[in-house]
């Protein structure tokens, strides 16, 4: 699924916890995309595209 800046997404953290947030920036790498997400709990995360649930 293709995501764009401003999309609301759910993503899984290393701990297994699921968070919700909005995509602020997308970094395109050689093998995958990295998403910078501001979550609803006011934390910012750098997430691999593989960890985005929806």
């Amino acid at each position: 699924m293709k995501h764009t800046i401003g999309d609301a997404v759910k993503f899984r953290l290393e701990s297994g916890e699921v968070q919700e947030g909005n995509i602020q920036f997308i970094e395109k790498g050689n093998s995958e995309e990295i998403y910078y997400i501001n979550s609803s709990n006011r934390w910012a995360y750098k997430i691999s595209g593989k960890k985005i649930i929806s």
Side-chain angles (χ1 to χ4, degrees):
M1 175 183 265
K2 192 73 172 170
H3 298 288
T4 59
I5 294 173
D7 284 353
V9 295
K10 289 183 181 180
F11 56 96
R12 188 173 310 276
L13 300 176
E14 298 270 335
S15 65
E17 180 183 354
V18 175
Q19 292 281 329
E20 294 183 18
N22 293 23
I23 297 174
Q24 298 300 312
F25 182 75
I26 301 171
E27 181 180 308
K28 299 182 190 273
N30 292 337
S31 61
E32 66 181 337
E33 293 182 340
I34 303 295
Y35 295 88
Y36 293 83
I37 302 173
N38 284 343
S39 72
S40 56
N41 67 2
R42 298 185 184 217
W43 282 81
Y45 294 98
K46 182 178 175 182
I47 301 293
S48 164
K50 298 175 185 174
K51 294 190 178 192
I52 294 182
I53 300 169
S54 65

